[in-house]
Amino acid sequence: MALSSGWARLRKSLAAACVTLLTATPLWADDFHSPDIVVLGDSQLSFGSGPVFLDFFQNIDQHCGSGPDGATDYTQLGEKSVAVFGVRSTSLGSWAARSRRGKGAVCDVDKKWKANAATFGTVNQSKNKYVQIGKGRNYQFCKKGQSPLEAMFAEGYYAPKLIVMNFLGNSARRWAEDKQQALTDVAKASEQLPEGVPCVFITTAPTYKKKTVALRLKAQENLKYAFMKSGIQCSFVEGFTPETIAANQGNRSFFRRNKSGRVKDPFHPNQKAQENFFMVRTQDICHAVHEQLTPKNTETASLLSAP
C-alpha cells in the first residue's frame, strides 16, 4: 500500500512538473520567426487594403527608392518579411489597453464567425485569411494584465525592424471630440512600442459618405496634434487629404455594391480604391519610411506633415 501511495505521489509530481513546463514555455517558442515588418490596423486592412499594404512593404525599396539623398539603407529591414493584421473594430486605444474590456475588440472571440481578424503575409500561409486573435502561435496577443501591444512585443516573440500602424475610424468620434483623448491613446501606445524601432503611422483611407469624412478629418487633425505633442517615435502620414477625399467620397466604384449598384459598405474602400490611395500617398509614405530608416531619426520622434 505504501508502494502504491508512493507511485501516486510520483505521478502527481510528474504531472505538476509537466504543467509547470507547459505553462512556462511560450506557445510561440517552437520555431517562431518574427517578421521584419509588422503592419497593424483595423477592418480596412481586412476588406481591401491588406494585400496592398503587403505588396507595398514587401517591395518597399522598389516603391520608395533610396531616398532624396540616396542614404536609405533597406538592409536594416533584413529580408523584408511582412505580417499584416487587420483586426475588426480596433483602434490605437484598444491595442494599448490592459483591461479586458479595453482590449475586447482585439481579444474577444467573435460569437458568430469565430474569427475577428484577417491576416496576410508571413504569419498566414493558409488559403483562409480569417483568424481569431488569441488562437494559434502567431496570434498570442491576449495576456492577462498586458495590452495586445505588450504581448505582441514580449521578449522572444515579435521583434520587427519596422512597425506600421493604420487606424482612424473606430476612435474617430473620441478623437474628434477632444485632443486630450487622442493624446491619451497616443501616449499609452508610445510607452509600449519597442524603443528605437522605426515606426510609421498612416491614417486610414477616406470613406464614402460626406458626414463620415468630415468627422474623421477632424479626428485626424487632433490625432496629428497628439503625435506631435507626445513625442512618439513614429512618423505621421495623413490618409485624408484633398486628393484622397476627392477620389473616395461619393465614388461608388471604390466601394462594395449590391446588384442594383448601391453602395452596401460605405466604410471600407475596396482594393481598387486602396491601390489608388497608395498611388496618391506614396511620396509621403516613402518620406516617412526614409525619415525613420535614416540613422539620425531612429532615436528621435518625428512628424510628417502632409502638403
Side-chain angles (χ1 to χ4, degrees):
M1 190 169 188
L3 183 61
S4 175
S5 177
W7 276 113
R9 287 197 298 271
L10 178 60
R11 286 197 299 268
K12 187 175 181 180
S13 297
L14 289 172
C18 288
V19 169
T20 301
L21 180 61
L22 288 171
T23 302
T25 304
L27 291 177
W28 59 80
D30 183 21
D31 198 33
F32 176 84
H33 298 286
S34 174
D36 298 312
I37 302 170
V38 166
V39 180
L40 295 177
D42 58 23
S43 52
Q44 277 207 8
L45 286 173
S46 304
F47 302 122
S49 63
V52 185
F53 268 85
L54 179 63
D55 172 76
F56 188 89
F57 285 98
Q58 278 180 333
N59 302 289
I60 187 65
D61 51 344
Q62 297 174 34
H63 288 294
C64 291
S66 58
D69 55 3
T72 303
D73 177 18
Y74 292 103
T75 62
Q76 61 189 287
L77 297 180
E79 297 179 356
K80 297 188 291 295
S81 59
V82 182
V84 178
F85 302 88
V87 188
R88 62 176 187 190
S89 300
T90 56
S91 191
L92 194 58
S94 49
W95 279 90
R98 295 190 178 104
S99 69
R100 182 175 179 179
R101 181 178 180 182
K103 61 186 178 184
V106 179
C107 296
D108 290 349
V109 177
D110 187 281
K111 294 180 180 179
K112 182 177 181 181
W113 303 108
K114 310 303 179 185
N116 70 341
T119 59
F120 308 86
T122 184
V123 292
N124 189 352
Q125 301 297 323
S126 71
K127 294 181 179 179
N128 182 13
K129 66 180 181 178
Y130 297 109
V131 304
Q132 173 63 48
I133 298 301
K135 296 184 177 181
R137 70 172 185 174
N138 292 336
Y139 314 116
Q140 294 299 305
F141 312 147
C142 303
K143 303 293 182 183
K144 187 175 182 180
Q146 293 184 325
S147 74
L149 283 179
E150 290 171 323
M152 171 178 272
F153 299 128
E155 185 176 355
Y157 203 23
Y158 280 77
K161 301 173 179 67
L162 172 66
I163 300 165
V164 181
M165 294 185 285
N166 182 226
F167 296 106
L168 184 63
N170 293 301
S171 282
R173 188 166 300 281
R174 169 181 167 82
W175 292 337
E177 288 176 350
D178 188 355
K179 287 182 178 180
Q180 188 58 45
Q181 293 184 137
L183 186 58
T184 296
D185 290 348
V186 173
K188 284 182 179 179
S190 181
E191 294 174 356
Q192 297 173 20
L193 291 172
E195 186 176 355
V197 176
C199 171
V200 174
F201 189 102
I202 308 167
T203 54
T204 50
T207 46
Y208 180 73
K209 294 182 178 180
K210 184 177 181 179
K211 183 177 180 181
T212 308
V213 167
L215 176 68
R216 295 190 181 190
L217 193 58
K218 178 63 177 177
Q220 178 179 267
E221 177 186 333
N222 287 348
L223 189 62
K224 181 179 177 181
Y225 162 85
F227 267 73
M228 183 166 50
K229 189 77 172 177
S230 70
I232 191 171
Q233 68 207 54
C234 308
S235 292
F236 186 91
V237 182
E238 293 173 298
F240 278 59
T241 68
E243 293 80 9
T244 61
I245 292 171
N248 285 24
Q249 184 178 293
N251 183 354
R252 292 188 299 171
S253 69
F254 274 10
F255 294 85
R256 288 189 294 169
R257 292 165 289 170
N258 56 28
K259 292 181 179 180
S260 69
R262 184 177 181 180
V263 171
K264 63 179 180 179
D265 182 358
F267 298 106
H268 304 104
N270 58 30
Q271 187 166 332
K272 177 183 176 182
Q274 298 291 7
E275 289 169 352
N276 181 75
F277 174 84
F278 265 86
M279 182 179 68
V280 172
R281 301 302 292 136
T282 286
Q283 183 176 350
D284 284 332
I285 294 171
C286 290
H287 185 165
V289 172
H290 295 317
E291 187 174 54
Q292 287 290 312
L293 297 184
T294 301
K296 65 182 180 181
N297 288 318
T298 55
E299 297 179 358
T300 59
S302 55
L303 179 73
L304 174 64
S305 297

